[in-house]
Amino acid sequence: MHIRDYDDADWDSFWPIFREITAAQETYPYDPNWTSEQAKDVWTSPDHVVVAEEDGAVLGSAGMGANRPGPGAHVATASFMVGSAARGRGVGRALGEYVVGWARELGYAAMQFNAVVETNDAAVHLWQDLGFEIIGTVPEAYEHARHGRVGLHVMYRRL
Amino acid sequence: MHIRDYDDADWDSFWPIFREITAAQETYPYDPNWTSEQAKDVWTSPDHVVVAEEDGAVLGSAGMGANRPGPGAHVATASFMVGSAARGRGVGRALGEYVVGWARELGYAAMQFNAVVETNDAAVHLWQDLGFEIIGTVPEAYEHARHGRVGLHVMYRRL
């Protein structure tokens, strides 16, 4: 498995992963009804987008860049998606380590996740393991398909 | 002073307020170098935008809508700007009461501010007065022109 820059030709491989994750409505505050074009616009809008690839298959992707413009541009943010077929194999961790390294190299002072679903244990534990702490939790801010309204963590680490 | 829907013709009156506030770099994580066109795109992108007007002069503006798409779309957010000439006259409070009423009427379950500069006492106290609480503070996330890096509060209230 290796991580490389996203290319436009990757969308057709990544779109089923994006669709599966938003349709499940358990981890992402994205609209499950977005078309492929709308989803592509959202996913490819960050400054830098990469994919995790193995034997020519896209296993997941991450996007990263400044969390806010102007006086907030020294804090980075990132988003991650790993397809269900590849979960539990360290793809999320590899992408997480990649984005932290990328942001540090570019001189960002910190990294912030704006909306980590509190019931998404795999993500919460992974980010804590990578040095992120929970700054606060917005209660009932996410309509979870199985659990109803659950909180969204703001998570943060210095770089 | 009354609050009415923003109209495209208002931009020329509001742009100096937007420019003054972003140039001061004390309250908004917006890029002070944005052109009028870029600023207009940002400010008029929310679902609903209003202005506070007195004797034909625009004193301030607020934009409001869903904070996130899909499973996060039941939480509203809003942004406010009041020109320095009109501060201390209750314009911010009137706009704040307007957006809370608007969101409640549309059935939003809560309202969230994502980035309130912690040294912006006027805003922090106003929102607390209107029932918002600080959920958490992202440390050093805002490059303040006079104070250096200060925190950004996430603020929240149920509706």
Side-chain angles (χ1 to χ4, degrees):
Chain A
M1 196 257 299
H2 69 289
I3 293 172
R4 61 158 175 83
D5 287 7
Y6 167 89
D7 182 275
D8 242 7
D10 292 319
W11 183 254
D12 287 346
S13 313
F14 180 62
W15 165 233
I17 296 175
F18 187 104
R19 196 174 42 194
E20 169 200 32
I21 287 172
T22 53
Q25 214 177 292
E26 297 187 356
T27 57
Y28 261 84
Y30 286 165
D31 193 332
N33 299 313
W34 281 340
T35 64
S36 169
E37 273 309 304
Q38 288 172 305
K40 186 177 172 178
D41 283 352
V42 168
W43 195 256
T44 61
S45 66
D47 296 346
H48 184 49
V49 183
V50 297
V51 294
E53 185 189 58
E54 191 176 59
D55 300 332
V58 170
L59 307 180
S61 176
M64 61 215 86
N67 193 42
R68 305 187 184 284
H74 57 287
V75 179
T77 190
S79 299
F80 304 78
M81 284 192 180
V82 176
S84 55
R87 270 177 223 157
R89 290 173 45 196
V91 181
R93 176 176 294 267
L95 288 168
E97 287 169 352
Y98 178 93
V99 304
V100 168
W102 176 88
R104 193 180 276 136
E105 203 167 300
L106 263 74
Y108 284 101
M111 180 170 273
Q112 175 179 351
F113 300 136
N114 298 295
V116 180
V117 177
E118 68 180 345
T119 50
N120 186 0
D121 292 335
V124 174
H125 293 151
L126 174 56
W127 306 144
Q128 285 173 330
D129 222 42
L130 292 179
F132 289 80
E133 57 177 317
I134 296 168
I135 291 286
T137 306
V138 184
E140 303 176 5
Y142 186 82
E143 188 76 55
H144 191 287
R146 289 180 297 121
H147 302 310
R149 289 190 180 163
V150 297
L152 287 173
H153 294 318
V154 176
M155 298 188 74
Y156 170 90
R157 73 156 286 178
R158 264 200 192 74
L159 293 177
Chain B
M1 195 259 297
H2 70 289
I3 293 170
R4 61 160 174 80
D5 286 7
Y6 167 89
D7 182 274
D8 242 5
D10 292 318
W11 183 253
D12 288 345
S13 315
F14 180 62
W15 165 232
I17 296 174
F18 186 103
R19 196 175 40 193
E20 170 199 30
I21 287 171
T22 53
Q25 215 176 292
E26 296 186 355
T27 57
Y28 260 85
Y30 286 165
D31 192 333
N33 299 313
W34 280 340
T35 64
S36 169
E37 273 309 304
Q38 289 173 304
K40 187 177 174 179
D41 282 352
V42 168
W43 195 255
T44 62
S45 66
D47 294 348
H48 184 48
V49 184
V50 298
V51 294
E53 184 190 57
E54 191 176 56
D55 300 332
V58 170
L59 309 179
S61 176
M64 60 214 88
N67 192 44
R68 304 187 184 284
H74 58 286
V75 179
T77 190
S79 299
F80 304 79
M81 284 191 181
V82 176
S84 55
R87 272 177 221 157
R89 290 172 48 196
V91 181
R93 177 176 294 267
L95 287 168
E97 286 169 353
Y98 177 93
V99 304
V100 168
W102 176 88
R104 193 180 275 135
E105 205 166 298
L106 262 73
Y108 283 101
M111 180 171 273
Q112 175 179 350
F113 301 137
N114 299 294
V116 181
V117 177
E118 68 179 345
T119 51
N120 186 0
D121 292 336
V124 174
H125 294 150
L126 173 57
W127 305 145
Q128 284 173 330
D129 223 43
L130 292 180
F132 288 80
E133 57 177 316
I134 297 168
I135 291 288
T137 307
V138 184
E140 304 177 1
Y142 185 80
E143 188 76 54
H144 192 287
R146 290 181 297 119
H147 302 311
R149 289 190 180 164
V150 298
L152 287 172
H153 293 319
V154 176
M155 298 188 74
Y156 169 90
R157 73 157 285 178
R158 268 205 187 69
L159 294 176

